[in-house]
Amino acid sequence: MSMQQIVANDLVRDEYGNYYEVVGVDTEGETLKALEVSNLYFEISFRSPADSESIGEEYKGKPLGVYLQDQLNAYVDDIQKRERPIYGIRDLMVNRIKVYAVDITQPHPKRNQTV
């Protein structure tokens, strides 16, 4: 698995089991130098449901986090089914690829989009 093939939307996992989505890639020539990652839970919380999809009755009366967590798990499953690698954050750092995290206290770029 080549770390040089990482693209936006790939996943990174830390040693605590948290998933991050690659939202930015910094290269120098053809060499990957740094990644910007965002917590996958945060990213999924700003995705609009598909036109044919709604939150559904099975989530009625449950915390919104239950729906978001199910969406996160479905996304991870889809990545695995498509056989895309999930990169370990320590492996990236060992390979001298810097990893920067999005500050989730700042407004998300999709914050003002309408559904």
Side-chain angles (χ1 to χ4, degrees), residues 36-84:
E36 183 176 26
V37 298
S38 180
N39 187 289
L40 185 56
Y41 195 87
F42 181 67
E43 287 302 308
I44 286 188
S45 71
F46 279 92
R47 291 199 177 127
S48 300
D51 291 335
S52 62
E53 189 180 284
S54 67
I55 291 183
E57 286 297 314
E58 68 268 26
Y59 296 103
K60 189 172 185 171
K62 293 183 180 178
L64 182 58
V66 173
Y67 171 75
L68 294 173
Q69 189 173 44
D70 286 350
Q71 294 298 303
L72 180 144
N73 289 331
Y75 188 81
V76 172
D77 287 344
D78 181 59
I79 293 288
Q80 291 171 332
K81 285 178 186 169
R82 291 188 292 128
E83 298 183 4
R84 286 296 303 165

